[in-house]
Amino acid sequence: MRQWARQLGFSQIGVAGIDLSDAEPGLLAWLAQGFHGEMHYMERHGLKRARPAELVPGTLSIVTARMDYLPPGTPPGWQALELARLQQPGQAVVSLYARGRDYHKVLRQRLQKLAERIAQAVGPLGHRVFTDSAPVLEAELARRSGLGWRGKHTLLLSRQAGSMFFLGEIFLDLALPPTPATSAHCGACRACMDICPTQAIVAPGQVDARRCISYLTIEHPGPIPEPLRPAMGNRLYGCDDCQLACPWNKFAQPSVLADFAARPALQQGDLLHLLGWSEAEFLQHTEGSPIRRIGYARWQRNLAVVSGNALRAAQLPQALARLLCQHLQRMAQDPAGDALVREHAAWALAQARPTAATRPDTTPDKQG
């Protein structure tokens, strides 16, 4: 089975049992504290997340799989390069995992093919495949099946691959022997906790999603709380900070699949260019991308916050500041636009230094 999985682009597979009863108290406590924010589906599903046989009746074992997602061609020292991008106000940074094709589609198709290969070997087989697409405790199942351990940021960590990978599962009505879990190797390190811009990792293994930039830019449908907007910096979609700081990610591996090659516009992340996308262009450029699901209004909301934070930066060139203000003024004054976008655009304009929108560009003409 491992050979079949590697042929399909998976880096590692394991097998987990279906008894997650000891994970239920932690899940209930997390929900009770409201850490799930407006992800109401987590509350609706309740303990079904920890009871695989209730989610898919007849399930006897679960095959877990990980797939590396760093874009092919990612250079050595990529963590430092990505951290440096966060200090450039003219850029809008998209999380590494979202720069290529939608991982849901890639993993689901390949998990289905793996399930079919298993069925060919053992005979008729009841199964369902999942990848971040159902109430499944993916990281916990992966931990129990030996794919890694849970870091203090709650993500799965592997000694061979850091945390830059996706997870998927095949629920089977076939009893397979579980693979042994591995030990944890974070020790006293708290790099992920210390770097979090909003201090969303409130304790080791506890994340308050309501403060997490990934949640705020992707899952959260309404206004981004004003106190948290400056902390977003130039993070447009998602946030990789806790992974960029993790020492284990020096072992992260580029994907072997062309699907995760970065799209140029999302890799370059030119803020002014992305601000200029119409809704039709947004849909065109995000076809087959996980970004499309947030919709154009939420995309513009995020762009407005990134623009406002850029306007607060002392190193932003005046010419760029004026162009950003022009875009934001159109967004804020568009009577046909989304009210959410107008409010965030107005906030962004209020962040501009007093001369940003009116001061003439006095930079000498370097062309002579």
mmCIF file with all atom_site columns, all heavy atoms in Angstrom, residues 106-123:
data_model
loop_
_atom_site.group_PDB
_atom_site.id
_atom_site.type_symbol
_atom_site.label_atom_id
_atom_site.label_alt_id
_atom_site.label_comp_id
_atom_site.label_asym_id
_atom_site.label_entity_id
_atom_site.label_seq_id
_atom_site.pdbx_PDB_ins_code
_atom_site.Cartn_x
_atom_site.Cartn_y
_atom_site.Cartn_z
_atom_site.occupancy
_atom_site.B_iso_or_equiv
_atom_site.pdbx_formal_charge
_atom_site.auth_seq_id
_atom_site.auth_comp_id
_atom_site.auth_asym_id
_atom_site.auth_atom_id
_atom_site.pdbx_PDB_model_num
ATOM 1   N N   . VAL A 1 106 ? -7.155  17.809 -5.485  1.00 0.00 ? 106 VAL A N   1
ATOM 2   C CA  . VAL A 1 106 ? -5.984  16.966 -5.743  1.00 0.00 ? 106 VAL A CA  1
ATOM 3   C C   . VAL A 1 106 ? -5.988  15.745 -4.826  1.00 0.00 ? 106 VAL A C   1
ATOM 4   O O   . VAL A 1 106 ? -5.863  14.604 -5.282  1.00 0.00 ? 106 VAL A O   1
ATOM 5   C CB  . VAL A 1 106 ? -4.685  17.774 -5.552  1.00 0.00 ? 106 VAL A CB  1
ATOM 6   C CG1 . VAL A 1 106 ? -3.464  16.873 -5.749  1.00 0.00 ? 106 VAL A CG1 1
ATOM 7   C CG2 . VAL A 1 106 ? -4.636  18.952 -6.525  1.00 0.00 ? 106 VAL A CG2 1
ATOM 8   N N   . LEU A 1 107 ? -6.144  15.984 -3.522  1.00 0.00 ? 107 LEU A N   1
ATOM 9   C CA  . LEU A 1 107 ? -6.085  14.867 -2.577  1.00 0.00 ? 107 LEU A CA  1
ATOM 10  C C   . LEU A 1 107 ? -7.274  13.931 -2.727  1.00 0.00 ? 107 LEU A C   1
ATOM 11  O O   . LEU A 1 107 ? -7.118  12.706 -2.670  1.00 0.00 ? 107 LEU A O   1
ATOM 12  C CB  . LEU A 1 107 ? -6.013  15.385 -1.133  1.00 0.00 ? 107 LEU A CB  1
ATOM 13  C CG  . LEU A 1 107 ? -4.586  15.495 -0.575  1.00 0.00 ? 107 LEU A CG  1
ATOM 14  C CD1 . LEU A 1 107 ? -3.861  16.675 -1.213  1.00 0.00 ? 107 LEU A CD1 1
ATOM 15  C CD2 . LEU A 1 107 ? -4.585  15.622 0.928   1.00 0.00 ? 107 LEU A CD2 1
ATOM 16  N N   . ARG A 1 108 ? -8.460  14.501 -2.907  1.00 0.00 ? 108 ARG A N   1
ATOM 17  C CA  . ARG A 1 108 ? -9.640  13.650 -2.982  1.00 0.00 ? 108 ARG A CA  1
ATOM 18  C C   . ARG A 1 108 ? -9.529  12.668 -4.156  1.00 0.00 ? 108 ARG A C   1
ATOM 19  O O   . ARG A 1 108 ? -9.833  11.472 -4.016  1.00 0.00 ? 108 ARG A O   1
ATOM 20  C CB  . ARG A 1 108 ? -10.895 14.517 -3.133  1.00 0.00 ? 108 ARG A CB  1
ATOM 21  C CG  . ARG A 1 108 ? -12.198 13.740 -2.908  1.00 0.00 ? 108 ARG A CG  1
ATOM 22  C CD  . ARG A 1 108 ? -13.395 14.664 -2.981  1.00 0.00 ? 108 ARG A CD  1
ATOM 23  N NE  . ARG A 1 108 ? -13.330 15.710 -1.963  1.00 0.00 ? 108 ARG A NE  1
ATOM 24  C CZ  . ARG A 1 108 ? -13.338 17.018 -2.228  1.00 0.00 ? 108 ARG A CZ  1
ATOM 25  N NH1 . ARG A 1 108 ? -13.390 17.434 -3.474  1.00 0.00 ? 108 ARG A NH1 1
ATOM 26  N NH2 . ARG A 1 108 ? -13.295 17.893 -1.242  1.00 0.00 ? 108 ARG A NH2 1
ATOM 27  N N   . GLN A 1 109 ? -9.092  13.158 -5.300  1.00 0.00 ? 109 GLN A N   1
ATOM 28  C CA  . GLN A 1 109 ? -8.964  12.286 -6.468  1.00 0.00 ? 109 GLN A CA  1
ATOM 29  C C   . GLN A 1 109 ? -7.938  11.182 -6.233  1.00 0.00 ? 109 GLN A C   1
ATOM 30  O O   . GLN A 1 109 ? -8.152  10.021 -6.592  1.00 0.00 ? 109 GLN A O   1
ATOM 31  C CB  . GLN A 1 109 ? -8.575  13.125 -7.687  1.00 0.00 ? 109 GLN A CB  1
ATOM 32  C CG  . GLN A 1 109 ? -9.663  14.071 -8.166  1.00 0.00 ? 109 GLN A CG  1
ATOM 33  C CD  . GLN A 1 109 ? -9.171  15.037 -9.229  1.00 0.00 ? 109 GLN A CD  1
ATOM 34  O OE1 . GLN A 1 109 ? -7.999  15.019 -9.611  1.00 0.00 ? 109 GLN A OE1 1
ATOM 35  N NE2 . GLN A 1 109 ? -10.064 15.890 -9.714  1.00 0.00 ? 109 GLN A NE2 1
ATOM 36  N N   . ARG A 1 110 ? -6.829  11.538 -5.610  1.00 0.00 ? 110 ARG A N   1
ATOM 37  C CA  . ARG A 1 110 ? -5.764  10.559 -5.417  1.00 0.00 ? 110 ARG A CA  1
ATOM 38  C C   . ARG A 1 110 ? -6.069  9.595  -4.273  1.00 0.00 ? 110 ARG A C   1
ATOM 39  O O   . ARG A 1 110 ? -5.673  8.427  -4.322  1.00 0.00 ? 110 ARG A O   1
ATOM 40  C CB  . ARG A 1 110 ? -4.430  11.289 -5.220  1.00 0.00 ? 110 ARG A CB  1
ATOM 41  C CG  . ARG A 1 110 ? -3.984  11.967 -6.520  1.00 0.00 ? 110 ARG A CG  1
ATOM 42  C CD  . ARG A 1 110 ? -2.810  12.906 -6.348  1.00 0.00 ? 110 ARG A CD  1
ATOM 43  N NE  . ARG A 1 110 ? -2.502  13.545 -7.624  1.00 0.00 ? 110 ARG A NE  1
ATOM 44  C CZ  . ARG A 1 110 ? -1.633  13.075 -8.523  1.00 0.00 ? 110 ARG A CZ  1
ATOM 45  N NH1 . ARG A 1 110 ? -0.950  11.969 -8.267  1.00 0.00 ? 110 ARG A NH1 1
ATOM 46  N NH2 . ARG A 1 110 ? -1.424  13.695 -9.665  1.00 0.00 ? 110 ARG A NH2 1
ATOM 47  N N   . LEU A 1 111 ? -6.772  10.067 -3.263  1.00 0.00 ? 111 LEU A N   1
ATOM 48  C CA  . LEU A 1 111 ? -7.231  9.147  -2.216  1.00 0.00 ? 111 LEU A CA  1
ATOM 49  C C   . LEU A 1 111 ? -8.220  8.136  -2.782  1.00 0.00 ? 111 LEU A C   1
ATOM 50  O O   . LEU A 1 111 ? -8.202  6.956  -2.400  1.00 0.00 ? 111 LEU A O   1
ATOM 51  C CB  . LEU A 1 111 ? -7.884  9.931  -1.080  1.00 0.00 ? 111 LEU A CB  1
ATOM 52  C CG  . LEU A 1 111 ? -6.949  10.708 -0.154  1.00 0.00 ? 111 LEU A CG  1
ATOM 53  C CD1 . LEU A 1 111 ? -7.749  11.674 0.715   1.00 0.00 ? 111 LEU A CD1 1
ATOM 54  C CD2 . LEU A 1 111 ? -6.136  9.764  0.734   1.00 0.00 ? 111 LEU A CD2 1
ATOM 55  N N   . GLN A 1 112 ? -9.073  8.590  -3.676  1.00 0.00 ? 112 GLN A N   1
ATOM 56  C CA  . GLN A 1 112 ? -10.039 7.682  -4.299  1.00 0.00 ? 112 GLN A CA  1
ATOM 57  C C   . GLN A 1 112 ? -9.319  6.606  -5.112  1.00 0.00 ? 112 GLN A C   1
ATOM 58  O O   . GLN A 1 112 ? -9.681  5.424  -5.062  1.00 0.00 ? 112 GLN A O   1
ATOM 59  C CB  . GLN A 1 112 ? -10.997 8.476  -5.191  1.00 0.00 ? 112 GLN A CB  1
ATOM 60  C CG  . GLN A 1 112 ? -12.074 7.646  -5.865  1.00 0.00 ? 112 GLN A CG  1
ATOM 61  C CD  . GLN A 1 112 ? -13.005 6.969  -4.876  1.00 0.00 ? 112 GLN A CD  1
ATOM 62  O OE1 . GLN A 1 112 ? -13.325 7.541  -3.839  1.00 0.00 ? 112 GLN A OE1 1
ATOM 63  N NE2 . GLN A 1 112 ? -13.417 5.744  -5.182  1.00 0.00 ? 112 GLN A NE2 1
ATOM 64  N N   . LYS A 1 113 ? -8.286  7.021  -5.822  1.00 0.00 ? 113 LYS A N   1
ATOM 65  C CA  . LYS A 1 113 ? -7.511  6.051  -6.599  1.00 0.00 ? 113 LYS A CA  1
ATOM 66  C C   . LYS A 1 113 ? -6.809  5.050  -5.681  1.00 0.00 ? 113 LYS A C   1
ATOM 67  O O   . LYS A 1 113 ? -6.726  3.858  -5.991  1.00 0.00 ? 113 LYS A O   1
ATOM 68  C CB  . LYS A 1 113 ? -6.488  6.773  -7.479  1.00 0.00 ? 113 LYS A CB  1
ATOM 69  C CG  . LYS A 1 113 ? -7.113  7.540  -8.636  1.00 0.00 ? 113 LYS A CG  1
ATOM 70  C CD  . LYS A 1 113 ? -6.049  8.230  -9.473  1.00 0.00 ? 113 LYS A CD  1
ATOM 71  C CE  . LYS A 1 113 ? -6.680  8.995  -10.635 1.00 0.00 ? 113 LYS A CE  1
ATOM 72  N NZ  . LYS A 1 113 ? -5.652  9.719  -11.431 1.00 0.00 ? 113 LYS A NZ  1
ATOM 73  N N   . LEU A 1 114 ? -6.311  5.527  -4.540  1.00 0.00 ? 114 LEU A N   1
ATOM 74  C CA  . LEU A 1 114 ? -5.673  4.618  -3.592  1.00 0.00 ? 114 LEU A CA  1
ATOM 75  C C   . LEU A 1 114 ? -6.692  3.628  -3.037  1.00 0.00 ? 114 LEU A C   1
ATOM 76  O O   . LEU A 1 114 ? -6.403  2.423  -2.908  1.00 0.00 ? 114 LEU A O   1
ATOM 77  C CB  . LEU A 1 114 ? -5.024  5.414  -2.460  1.00 0.00 ? 114 LEU A CB  1
ATOM 78  C CG  . LEU A 1 114 ? -4.328  4.605  -1.366  1.00 0.00 ? 114 LEU A CG  1
ATOM 79  C CD1 . LEU A 1 114 ? -3.243  3.703  -1.951  1.00 0.00 ? 114 LEU A CD1 1
ATOM 80  C CD2 . LEU A 1 114 ? -3.736  5.530  -0.302  1.00 0.00 ? 114 LEU A CD2 1
ATOM 81  N N   . ALA A 1 115 ? -7.892  4.103  -2.731  1.00 0.00 ? 115 ALA A N   1
ATOM 82  C CA  . ALA A 1 115 ? -8.937  3.210  -2.230  1.00 0.00 ? 115 ALA A CA  1
ATOM 83  C C   . ALA A 1 115 ? -9.293  2.155  -3.269  1.00 0.00 ? 115 ALA A C   1
ATOM 84  O O   . ALA A 1 115 ? -9.525  0.980  -2.936  1.00 0.00 ? 115 ALA A O   1
ATOM 85  C CB  . ALA A 1 115 ? -10.172 4.020  -1.849  1.00 0.00 ? 115 ALA A CB  1
ATOM 86  N N   . GLU A 1 116 ? -9.320  2.547  -4.513  1.00 0.00 ? 116 GLU A N   1
ATOM 87  C CA  . GLU A 1 116 ? -9.628  1.590  -5.588  1.00 0.00 ? 116 GLU A CA  1
ATOM 88  C C   . GLU A 1 116 ? -8.533  0.544  -5.720  1.00 0.00 ? 116 GLU A C   1
ATOM 89  O O   . GLU A 1 116 ? -8.813  -0.642 -5.977  1.00 0.00 ? 116 GLU A O   1
ATOM 90  C CB  . GLU A 1 116 ? -9.825  2.351  -6.900  1.00 0.00 ? 116 GLU A CB  1
ATOM 91  C CG  . GLU A 1 116 ? -11.091 3.211  -6.904  1.00 0.00 ? 116 GLU A CG  1
ATOM 92  C CD  . GLU A 1 116 ? -11.158 4.180  -8.080  1.00 0.00 ? 116 GLU A CD  1
ATOM 93  O OE1 . GLU A 1 116 ? -10.179 4.191  -8.881  1.00 0.00 ? 116 GLU A OE1 1
ATOM 94  O OE2 . GLU A 1 116 ? -12.150 4.935  -8.185  1.00 0.00 ? 116 GLU A OE2 1
ATOM 95  N N   . ARG A 1 117 ? -7.272  0.963  -5.523  1.00 0.00 ? 117 ARG A N   1
ATOM 96  C CA  . ARG A 1 117 ? -6.179  -0.007 -5.578  1.00 0.00 ? 117 ARG A CA  1
ATOM 97  C C   . ARG A 1 117 ? -6.297  -1.010 -4.433  1.00 0.00 ? 117 ARG A C   1
ATOM 98  O O   . ARG A 1 117 ? -6.040  -2.210 -4.596  1.00 0.00 ? 117 ARG A O   1
ATOM 99  C CB  . ARG A 1 117 ? -4.825  0.720  -5.484  1.00 0.00 ? 117 ARG A CB  1
ATOM 100 C CG  . ARG A 1 117 ? -4.483  1.573  -6.693  1.00 0.00 ? 117 ARG A CG  1
ATOM 101 C CD  . ARG A 1 117 ? -4.213  0.735  -7.929  1.00 0.00 ? 117 ARG A CD  1
ATOM 102 N NE  . ARG A 1 117 ? -3.104  -0.176 -7.758  1.00 0.00 ? 117 ARG A NE  1
ATOM 103 C CZ  . ARG A 1 117 ? -1.823  0.138  -8.015  1.00 0.00 ? 117 ARG A CZ  1
ATOM 104 N NH1 . ARG A 1 117 ? -1.516  1.352  -8.429  1.00 0.00 ? 117 ARG A NH1 1
ATOM 105 N NH2 . ARG A 1 117 ? -0.868  -0.756 -7.875  1.00 0.00 ? 117 ARG A NH2 1
ATOM 106 N N   . ILE A 1 118 ? -6.677  -0.531 -3.251  1.00 0.00 ? 118 ILE A N   1
ATOM 107 C CA  . ILE A 1 118 ? -6.859  -1.434 -2.107  1.00 0.00 ? 118 ILE A CA  1
ATOM 108 C C   . ILE A 1 118 ? -7.981  -2.424 -2.408  1.00 0.00 ? 118 ILE A C   1
ATOM 109 O O   . ILE A 1 118 ? -7.862  -3.636 -2.145  1.00 0.00 ? 118 ILE A O   1
ATOM 110 C CB  . ILE A 1 118 ? -7.162  -0.633 -0.833  1.00 0.00 ? 118 ILE A CB  1
ATOM 111 C CG1 . ILE A 1 118 ? -5.975  0.265  -0.463  1.00 0.00 ? 118 ILE A CG1 1
ATOM 112 C CG2 . ILE A 1 118 ? -7.484  -1.577 0.333   1.00 0.00 ? 118 ILE A CG2 1
ATOM 113 C CD1 . ILE A 1 118 ? -6.270  1.244  0.656   1.00 0.00 ? 118 ILE A CD1 1
ATOM 114 N N   . ALA A 1 119 ? -9.077  -1.925 -2.983  1.00 0.00 ? 119 ALA A N   1
ATOM 115 C CA  . ALA A 1 119 ? -10.214 -2.789 -3.307  1.00 0.00 ? 119 ALA A CA  1
ATOM 116 C C   . ALA A 1 119 ? -9.834  -3.850 -4.330  1.00 0.00 ? 119 ALA A C   1
ATOM 117 O O   . ALA A 1 119 ? -10.300 -4.996 -4.265  1.00 0.00 ? 119 ALA A O   1
ATOM 118 C CB  . ALA A 1 119 ? -11.376 -1.940 -3.813  1.00 0.00 ? 119 ALA A CB  1
ATOM 119 N N   . GLN A 1 120 ? -8.983  -3.475 -5.277  1.00 0.00 ? 120 GLN A N   1
ATOM 120 C CA  . GLN A 1 120 ? -8.534  -4.451 -6.269  1.00 0.00 ? 120 GLN A CA  1
ATOM 121 C C   . GLN A 1 120 ? -7.766  -5.594 -5.603  1.00 0.00 ? 120 GLN A C   1
ATOM 122 O O   . GLN A 1 120 ? -7.815  -6.740 -6.060  1.00 0.00 ? 120 GLN A O   1
ATOM 123 C CB  . GLN A 1 120 ? -7.646  -3.766 -7.311  1.00 0.00 ? 120 GLN A CB  1
ATOM 124 C CG  . GLN A 1 120 ? -8.390  -2.832 -8.250  1.00 0.00 ? 120 GLN A CG  1
ATOM 125 C CD  . GLN A 1 120 ? -7.446  -2.032 -9.142  1.00 0.00 ? 120 GLN A CD  1
ATOM 126 O OE1 . GLN A 1 120 ? -6.234  -2.249 -9.129  1.00 0.00 ? 120 GLN A OE1 1
ATOM 127 N NE2 . GLN A 1 120 ? -8.002  -1.112 -9.909  1.00 0.00 ? 120 GLN A NE2 1
ATOM 128 N N   . ALA A 1 121 ? -7.067  -5.245 -4.508  1.00 0.00 ? 121 ALA A N   1
ATOM 129 C CA  . ALA A 1 121 ? -6.239  -6.255 -3.844  1.00 0.00 ? 121 ALA A CA  1
ATOM 130 C C   . ALA A 1 121 ? -7.026  -7.126 -2.877  1.00 0.00 ? 121 ALA A C   1
ATOM 131 O O   . ALA A 1 121 ? -6.716  -8.319 -2.717  1.00 0.00 ? 121 ALA A O   1
ATOM 132 C CB  . ALA A 1 121 ? -5.091  -5.571 -3.104  1.00 0.00 ? 121 ALA A CB  1
ATOM 133 N N   . VAL A 1 122 ? -8.060  -6.555 -2.220  1.00 0.00 ? 122 VAL A N   1
ATOM 134 C CA  . VAL A 1 122 ? -8.739  -7.302 -1.156  1.00 0.00 ? 122 VAL A CA  1
ATOM 135 C C   . VAL A 1 122 ? -10.171 -7.682 -1.511  1.00 0.00 ? 122 VAL A C   1
ATOM 136 O O   . VAL A 1 122 ? -10.815 -8.454 -0.785  1.00 0.00 ? 122 VAL A O   1
ATOM 137 C CB  . VAL A 1 122 ? -8.746  -6.507 0.164   1.00 0.00 ? 122 VAL A CB  1
ATOM 138 C CG1 . VAL A 1 122 ? -7.324  -6.169 0.579   1.00 0.00 ? 122 VAL A CG1 1
ATOM 139 C CG2 . VAL A 1 122 ? -9.603  -5.253 0.055   1.00 0.00 ? 122 VAL A CG2 1
ATOM 140 N N   . GLY A 1 123 ? -10.688 -7.134 -2.588  1.00 0.00 ? 123 GLY A N   1
ATOM 141 C CA  . GLY A 1 123 ? -12.068 -7.426 -2.950  1.00 0.00 ? 123 GLY A CA  1
ATOM 142 C C   . GLY A 1 123 ? -12.996 -6.275 -2.604  1.00 0.00 ? 123 GLY A C   1
ATOM 143 O O   . GLY A 1 123 ? -12.551 -5.190 -2.231  1.00 0.00 ? 123 GLY A O   1
#
